[in-house]
Amino acid sequence: MRSASSVNGRIVAVTGGARGIGREIAAQLAEAGAHVGIGDRDGDAARSVAAALGPRARGFDLDVADRASFAAFLTAVEETFGAVDVLVNNAGVMWVGPFDQEPEAARRRQFDVNVHGVINGVTLAAPAMRSRGRGHIVTVASAAAKLSPAGESTYAATKHAVLGYLTGVRWELAGTGVEITAIMPGVVDTELAAGTATGAARMLAPADVAAAVLAAIEKPRFEITIPRYVGPLVGWANVLPQRVRDVLLRRMVPNQVDAVADSSVRSTYEQQFTNPDQSGEAQ
């Protein structure tokens, strides 16, 4: 059992916390003794999850792409538990398919949630943390921050943007007591990844990512890839000639265009991109 010494008593805000990875992060944090504010577009689901986790958790409405909504969420968590020690940017969305068939609404929503949502969280939470001389922002990015699978071009672009943004912010916050972490998992068994392939890697469980988040809070690191070998593998591949690199990555990285071809398994999830009233922004 992992020591909860550096998690116990912490006040943590988790975005996209009603389902999937976010729900598991909230559950593991609450079990480790943290006070957890769970934000989600589906506020009722967030409150239901919080009720199941007990008095250490509370659920709130949150649209990370709406700056006012994000600010209200952080204020509500602070009024309920106290100043936020850790913000976990987990909310994310993904459309999968050929680049030239991707609806414009899907492209825009992915950037709104995956990029602007993270920026909203960082710019709202980090200044207060810096003024206190302590704090931690953990962002659940993706291995797509390092790789770009076929069929996930826009999604990968958003995750590359997030990693670039966090890299710059980390340098600006150096020496302030505020830590920045980017968690980059492979394919995780959630609604977001339904119907996609894992390539050479195994399918991850939400618990794998949640465990990495808790480990990062206990012992901060900037980049964490799951599985661990992904980071070194990509670094090694990048020094190879392009032709050799292409052969290697074709063997390792899944082709999601092929994976979802002639399949309707993602249709319900992806309705959120054509119907703005749909929820589902939980990784």
Side-chain angles (χ1 to χ4, degrees), residues 45-86:
R47 285 180 280 276
S48 177
V49 170
L53 296 180
R56 289 185 176 274
R58 289 284 297 277
F60 305 93
D61 293 277
L62 168 64
D63 180 352
V64 297
D66 183 327
R67 188 172 179 83
S69 176
F70 212 137
F73 166 62
L74 293 176
T75 297
V77 174
E78 182 169 348
E79 290 175 347
T80 302
F81 296 120
V84 173
D85 297 305
V86 182

Side-chain angles (χ1 to χ4, degrees), residues 269-280:
Y269 169 78
E270 290 180 350
Q271 283 178 5
Q272 65 183 299
F273 299 119
T274 54
N275 182 353
D277 293 328
Q278 292 287 323
S279 60

